[in-house]
Every structure is written in structure tokens, then in C-alpha cells.
């Protein structure tokens, strides 16, 4: 519980990324303890997701943001290993298409939100529209600066209609990003993930940092909080996200629907 409180950004508070250690190993005393705990959480997540699906009334949306190689894909792979893909919806947001751009910035996002009973996972999200768009100067400040309020209102709409919203910023250090990007270059199996443009983003590290600071401060609310998760160590990163998710689902406390009358105790001939 304490762990989650430390990671959560209180409404209106600055996330103060410089004061948060990306190399912190939170959630367990050692890697082996951490992996053991993660295994239990992964299993629990599977049970809770099954109930959420069976209940079919509510949904949960996990928003994953972070710089390149901060581990968004790794979280999805590890934390959701025990979840039935049938009740899960992973959406990766890439550069908007011309059709996307012909609409407001939330148009493509709303269409990809989880249905009742589903867990939705956003690999990048509408936050690109106040971070990447700002840093790459794809829109004027007069446009992107108004989006914080629209995002808060949009997420409130989702919540009022039955979707819990959990937002995670994977907080990686610049040095660990360098190592991970180098690995992508060096490993032929990973090379496809590397785009030359990734280096432009890396060169704008401080600008991205500032944009994330502002976005998190402007949009962390009681009902849709941001969590800043140290992301330099994969196991600790996965463990923190799993704790956050299981915590959110335990609070929802989904229930399987009641059986048909007379089913309990029935002996199937
Ligand atoms: P990746 O997640 O590494 O495959 O890359 C996706 C790319 O799409 C990143 O460079 C994002 O910044 C970019 N992207 C996603 N959404 C937007 C958006 N709304 N506007 C501009 N760029 C975006
Ligand atoms: Mg990339």
C-alpha cells in the first residue's frame, strides 16, 4: 500500500521526476523475491480479470507512457502473462493517420477504449497529443495547452460510464535508455524496433521530460491518478505495475454473476 502511495502523483502536485530514482528497486528486497511476488500477482490478475469479464459491467484502462525503451512492451508481455487474451484489448498508438488527423485528437482514442468486461491496455495514448505533439511542434501551444482539460474531462466521462483509469509513466534514466537502444541496434531480433528518428527524440530528452512533467501534473486526479514507476530494472518495473493493477481491480471487486436457480449442487448425469 505504501509502495503505491509513493508512486502515485497527488492531484495538482508536480511529479518531480528529478527527485525520483529511475533505478529504484521497489516492491521486494531482491530480484528473486520480486519475481516470486510477481508470479503471485500475475496469477491473481488472471482471476480478477476473469471475474471482470464474467461480470461484464465495468472495464479497466491501463495507460502506458514512457520514452523509447522504457519497457512498455515488456510490461504488457510480463504482467499480462496470466490474463485470458479474450478479455483483453491492447492498443498501440502510432503516428496519427490522415483520417485521424481529420478529427479531434480524442476521436481515435475513444474508439479504442475497452468495452464492458475488458481490460484495455494503451501502449502510448492520447498523452502523445500533449507530449510528442508539443516537443515535435506538430501543433501550436494554443492548441495543445487546451488539451489537458479535455483529457481530464474525457477520462471523467470514461470513469462515470464504468471504466477505471490507471495511468503509468515508466520512468527510465537517460543512461539506461542508451544501453537499451544500443541493444536494439546490436541484436538483429530487436533491430526492427529501432528507428533513426528515435535518436531525434533522445536528443530532445529534456524537452520530453518537461512535457511529461506538465502533462502528469495537469492530469493526475483522484479518480484517474498517474503513477511514476521506476523503469531501469525490468523486474521491479513489472512488479510495480502488477501491484498497481491488482490494487485497482481488488478495489473494483468484480463478482461472477449468480448461477441459474437450481444449478448449485446439481449432479450432471
Ligand atoms: P513506437 O511506440 O515506438 O512504435 O512509436 C510510435 C511513435 O508514434 C512514437 O514516436 C510516438 O511519439 C508517435 N505517436 C503516437 N501518437 C502520436 C500522436 N498523437 N502524435 C504524434 N506522434 C504520435
Ligand atoms: Mg519506438
Amino acid at each position: 500500500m505504501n509502495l503505491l502511495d509513493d508512486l502515485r502523483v497527488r492531484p495538482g502536485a508536480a511529479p518531480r521526476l528529478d527527485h525520483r530514482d529511475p533505478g529504484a528497486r521497489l516492491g521486494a528486497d531482491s530480484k528473486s523475491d520480486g519475481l516470486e511476488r510477481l508470479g503471485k500477482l500475475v496469477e491473481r490478475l488472471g482471476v480478477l480479470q476473469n471475474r471482470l469479464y464474467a461480470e461484464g459491467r465495468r472495464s479497466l484502462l491501463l495507460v502506458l507512457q514512457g520514452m523509447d525503451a522504457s519497457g512498455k512492451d515488456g510490461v504488457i508481455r510480463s504482467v499480462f502473462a496470466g490474463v485470458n487474451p479474450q478479455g483483453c484489448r491492447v492498443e498501440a498508438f502510432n503516428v496519427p493517420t490522415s483520417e485521424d488527423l481529420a478529427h479531434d485528437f480524442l476521436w481515435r482514442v475513444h474508439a479504442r477504449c475497452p468495452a464492458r468486461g475488458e481490460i484495455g491496455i494503451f501502449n502510448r495514448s492520447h498523452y502523445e497529443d500533449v507530449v510528442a505533439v508539443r516537443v515535435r511542434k506538430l501543433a501550436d501551444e494554443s492548441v495543445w495547452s487546451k488539451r489537458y482539460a479535455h483529457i481530464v474531462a474525457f477520462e471523467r466521462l470514461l470513469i462515470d460510464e464504468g471504466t477505471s483509469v490507471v495511468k503509468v509513466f515508466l520512468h527510465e534514466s537517460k543512461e539506461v535508455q542508451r544501453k537499451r537502444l544500443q541493444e536494439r541496434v546490436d541484436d538483429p531480433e530487436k533491430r526492427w524496433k529501432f528507428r533513426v528518428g528515435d535518436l531525434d527524440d533522445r536528443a530532445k530528452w529534456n524537452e520530453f521530460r518537461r512535457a511529461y512533467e506538465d502533462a502528469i501534473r495537469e492530469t493526475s486526479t483522484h479518480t484517474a491518478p498517474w503513477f511514476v514507476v521506476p523503469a531501469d530494472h525490468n523486474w521491479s518495473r513489472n512488479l510495480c505495475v502488477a501491484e498497481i493493477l491488482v490494487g485497482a481491480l481488488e478495489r473494483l471487486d468484480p463478482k461472477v454473476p449468480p448461477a441459474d436457480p437450481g444449478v448449485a449442487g446439481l449432479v450432471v448425469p
Side-chain angles (χ1 to χ4, degrees), residues 65-69 72-73 92-97 100-101 105 108-109 123-134 136 138 147 184 192-195 197-198 201 208 212:
Q65 284 287 158
M67 296 291 285
D68 276 314
K72 301 181 286 295
D73 299 293
F93 288 89
N94 214 309
V95 177
T97 64
D100 294 334
L101 290 171
F105 77 103
R108 68 170 183 163
V109 178
N123 184 341
R124 303 189 189 269
S125 66
H126 41 301
Y127 285 93
E128 295 292 321
D129 294 284
V130 287
V131 174
V133 163
R134 169 180 172 177
R136 299 188 196 127
L138 301 173
R147 290 180 172 170
R184 284 187 183 177
W192 65 275
K193 274 196 175 192
F194 188 90
R195 277 176 294 214
D198 293 349
D201 286 353
F208 271 100
Y212 269 118

Side-chain angles (χ1 to χ4, degrees), residues 82 89 92 115 139 141 146 156 168 185 220 226 232 234 262-263:
R89 181 169 179 164
E141 178 164 359
K146 292 198 188 90
R156 196 180 318 124
V168 168
V185 171
S220 202
W226 271 105
D232 278 0
N234 297 357
V263 168

Side-chain angles (χ1 to χ4, degrees), residues 32-43:
S32 61
D33 289 350
L35 291 176
E36 197 185 319
R37 169 103 189 113
L38 179 64
K40 293 197 177 112
L41 289 168
V42 164
E43 212 173 289

Side-chain angles (χ1 to χ4, degrees), residues 40-60:
K40 293 197 177 112
L41 289 168
V42 164
E43 212 173 289
R44 183 71 185 150
L45 195 61
V47 171
L48 290 166
Q49 186 248 2
N50 187 54
R51 290 182 190 163
L52 188 79
Y53 186 77
E55 186 191 76
R57 290 195 296 118
R58 297 171 294 173
S59 55
L60 184 133

Side-chain angles (χ1 to χ4, degrees), residues 8-28:
R8 186 186 291 114
V9 178
R10 279 172 289 106
R16 307 183 69 179
L17 297 176
D18 287 346
H19 294 251
R20 294 173 186 262
D21 177 10
R25 299 159 210 244
L26 302 177

